[in-house]
Amino acid sequence: MIHNPKYECMSREDMRKLQSERLIKTVKICYEKVPFYQKKMDDMGVKPEDIKSIDDINKLPFTTKTDLRDEYPFGLEAVPHSEIRRIHASSGTTGKPVVATYTENDLAMWAEGVARVMAVANIGPGDTIQISYGYGLFTGGLGAHDGAAVRGAIQLPTSAGNTEKQIMLMQDFGATALACTPSYAMRLAEAIHDSKIVSVHQMKLRAGFFGAEPWTEGMRKELERKLQIKAYDIYGLTEMCGPGVGGECECQNGTHLWEDMFFPEIINPDTLKPCEPGEFGELVFTSLCKEAMPILRYRTRDLTRLRYEKCKCGRTAVRMDRILGRSDDMIIIRGVNVFPSQIETCLTEFPAFQPYYFITVDRIYNEDTFDLDVELKSQFFSADPQDQMKFIKPLYDRIVSMVGVKPNIHILPPYGIERSMGKAKHVNDKRNFRA
Ligand code: ADP
Ligand code: ZN
């Protein structure tokens, strides 16, 4: 079902009007309340009055992750700090984390975004949503939690980890939906299959809302089969709110973005110019109703494309293709751009392989090395190199044809690759330490 048809199915024309009104308001607030934006706009010679409609968006400055770090912790706030009701922060693997603060209305808007995604699977009263995203500063746990509350569903806040107990509760409490990262969903699926105590056939699970990291169509099929569910993508980022900036509908053909809240653009990351409709590029968002920390043209680094045709589900909200990866996740091996998600796509084409992998890149004697650890499903595993070769060869050929670089493939024993509870780490680029 559609949670909020007024916005999700608004005509394109009315949507542009709404976006224009909201953009004008947002820009005015940014200019008047946030010295950072006032300076950026002054430097570019742009005044709030120059923004007359959404068509003027490209007159505005971009915001980057570095800007957010420089303004750490509360430099981008546009309201008195006493109006803040919650603070989150993204993992920030290096240096200071990126902070997000929320007013009461911001929290409500965020929860609505998540609720719209959960509504696609008719989640409502009587449904129990097991929330296995981490609770804490990370936006996943509490984001899914508040969205489930808006739908009137039962929230089961298991957080990530303690996998054995998770699957026991999943069965005993009759969870009907699961929200977590796709990699943790895979870990849970595996634990259910290995378990002698629980069985997927005694479970009531019917839907999964997976996001916070890139995943592939192959992974979806695997999760749907293993968990006997329909698996939906949920997308988001801390800088906008957290998960729930958009989500897939029942057609599972692109992730609808909630454009009444976040205006999406696709730009060429090198020229910073807008891409042609349908062209791949970097996703950029401008928040249209955020109060605590409005953001102009935030460069997500996520690479994707947008499609504006109306969806069969009835929603008019623009659809985004699966995120290919973040531009900062891309690895250049022997001059070729490689996205970890391409490896996942190849792997999931072969039923004998698990969808787990780990890439190690190094430079030895001035030459890039590309090692790929993979796992076979336990029934196919053999330590005999000759047996292994039967599986390695077709995978090798597929990777060479898809990615264009020759990997050195190693088959590890079952569970040889570390399982993740949150966002999976897929790459160790040792060249970074060998400058
Ligand atoms: P961090 O930057 O520390 O990872 P976030 O949790 O805010 O913090 O991560 C947001 C990023 O996670 C997005 O910009 C995107 O790269 C990735 N992401 C979130 N949801 C999805 C999804 N459904 N598919 C692909 N990538 C996603
Ligand atoms: Zn749709």
Side-chain angles (χ1 to χ4, degrees):
M1 71 164 284
I2 299 181
H3 180 77
N4 193 338
K6 176 175 171 200
Y7 294 112
E8 295 175 63
C9 308
M10 196 174 241
S11 75
R12 298 291 331 157
E13 201 187 324
D14 288 350
M15 181 58 79
R16 293 292 286 188
K17 260 193 233 146
L18 180 78
Q19 289 169 332
S20 295
E21 281 163 26
R22 290 185 171 177
L23 178 71
I24 292 168
K25 211 167 136 195
T26 299
V27 171
K28 195 162 176 291
I29 292 171
C30 284
Y31 191 81
E32 286 169 6
K33 306 280 186 202
V34 187
F36 165 85
Y37 280 121
Q38 188 172 88
K39 177 162 189 319
K40 273 217 170 188
M41 286 173 62
D42 283 347
D43 288 350
M44 291 173 85
V46 198
K47 290 275 173 275
E49 308 77 78
D50 298 331
I51 307 304
K52 299 191 173 67
S53 83
I54 198 79
D55 298 327
D56 293 319
I57 192 136
N58 50 23
K59 296 185 180 152
L60 292 168
F62 288 105
T63 310
T64 63
K65 204 167 228 150
T66 313
D67 293 330
L68 299 191
R69 291 219 165 96
D70 291 347
E71 295 298 317
Y72 175 89
F74 306 129
L76 292 175
E77 266 175 13
V79 296
H81 202 57
S82 56
E83 284 182 32
I84 302 303
R85 293 293 175 271
R86 200 186 298 159
I87 304 176
H88 279 281
S90 80
S91 47
T93 35
T94 50
K96 303 251 195 223
V98 167
V99 176
T101 61
Y102 306 75
T103 63
E104 188 107 33
N105 286 336
D106 291 338
L107 289 171
M109 176 198 69
W110 177 18
E112 150 114 19
V114 177
R116 289 185 194 177
V117 185
M118 292 182 170
V120 301
N122 290 323
I123 297 299
D127 273 300
T128 301
I129 308 196
Q130 183 153 349
I131 301 159
S132 312
Y133 281 114
Y135 278 67
L137 286 175
F138 173 53
T139 52
L142 284 166
H145 189 97
D146 291 349
V150 169
R151 292 297 306 161
I154 303 166
Q155 303 124 48
L156 177 58
T158 46
S159 198
N162 211 342
T163 304
E164 295 310 311
K165 188 162 174 197
Q166 296 249 4
I167 60 174
M168 180 186 85
L169 300 183
M170 190 181 278
Q171 176 162 305
D172 294 351
F173 294 177
T176 52
L178 171 66
C180 59
T181 61
S183 27
Y184 194 52
M186 200 59 216
R187 168 81 194 87
L188 287 166
E190 201 174 29
I192 293 168
H193 279 257
D194 292 349
S195 168
K196 294 195 174 50
I197 301 157
V198 302
S199 146
V200 76
H201 302 293
Q202 282 164 26
M203 292 197 177
K204 294 207 176 114
L205 269 193
R206 59 184 176 84
F209 303 101
F210 305 134
E213 62 181 358
W215 54 307
T216 57
E217 224 18 69
M219 184 70 129
R220 186 213 306 275
K221 291 208 181 79
E222 187 91 16
L223 286 170
E224 291 193 330
R225 189 177 56 78
K226 282 211 164 106
L227 291 171
Q228 299 284 303
I229 57 169
K230 242 182 129 165
Y232 302 96
D233 185 44
I234 177 165
Y235 170 81
L237 61 163
T238 312
E239 293 82 349
M240 289 303 119
C241 55
V245 171
E248 252 174 351
C249 66
E250 51 280 22
C251 306
Q252 295 178 316
N253 179 17
T255 298
H256 287 284
L257 296 176
W258 310 136
E259 287 177 85
D260 51 313
M261 305 175 184
F262 310 101
F263 182 77
E265 299 172 80
I266 299 285
I267 63 160
N268 177 317
D270 300 320
T271 64
L272 306 185
K273 295 274 179 277
C275 287
E276 293 300 317
E279 212 184 317
F280 271 96
E282 179 180 338
L283 183 60
V284 169
F285 281 113
T286 299
S287 71
L288 296 176
C289 26
K290 249 156 76 90
E291 295 177 338
M293 282 179 63
I295 294 205
L296 302 181
R297 306 189 83 197
Y298 180 68
R299 293 188 56 188
T300 64
R301 305 271 167 193
D302 291 332
L303 301 172
T304 182
R305 63 177 175 163
L306 298 179
R307 287 180 287 137
Y308 287 89
E309 319 85 71
K310 186 172 171 183
C311 181
K312 286 206 189 81
C313 70
R315 289 174 185 83
T316 49
V318 67
R319 273 172 296 164
M320 163 183 98
D321 272 18
R322 277 178 181 287
I323 304 276
L324 182 60
R326 289 204 231 189
S327 53
D328 29 4
D329 283 348
M330 188 182 82
I331 24 179
I332 302 177
I333 307 174
R334 294 172 211 141
V336 178
N337 297 349
V338 179
F339 286 96
S341 61
Q342 294 176 304
I343 304 295
E344 185 178 298
T345 298
C346 295
L347 263 180
T348 53
E349 286 172 10
F350 297 92
F353 283 103
Q354 294 276 29
Y356 303 113
Y357 62 97
F358 195 83
I359 299 168
T360 308
V361 189
D362 203 349
R363 183 164 293 144
I364 292 171
Y365 302 120
N366 282 324
E367 171 116 36
D368 287 341
T369 58
F370 172 22
D371 286 277
L372 175 64
D373 292 345
V374 292
E375 260 181 49
L376 284 168
K377 292 186 179 144
S378 49
Q379 67 267 37
F380 298 105
F381 178 74
S382 150
D384 176 349
Q386 286 226 304
D387 288 343
Q388 292 191 350
M389 227 31 225
K390 286 199 301 258
F391 295 104
I392 290 178
K393 180 74 174 67
L395 177 66
Y396 174 91
D397 290 343
R398 182 70 185 110
I399 291 174
V400 173
S401 82
M402 180 188 252
V403 184
V405 197
K406 296 174 180 167
N408 210 347
I409 300 177
H410 314 275
I411 292 184
L412 303 194
Y415 293 98
I417 294 172
E418 198 182 317
R419 307 298 193 248
S420 156
M421 293 194 300
K423 300 186 189 226
K425 185 174 181 308
H426 292 297
V427 182
N428 180 10
D429 193 340
K430 294 185 173 170
R431 296 171 303 184
N432 297 339
F433 306 100
R434 289 192 202 279

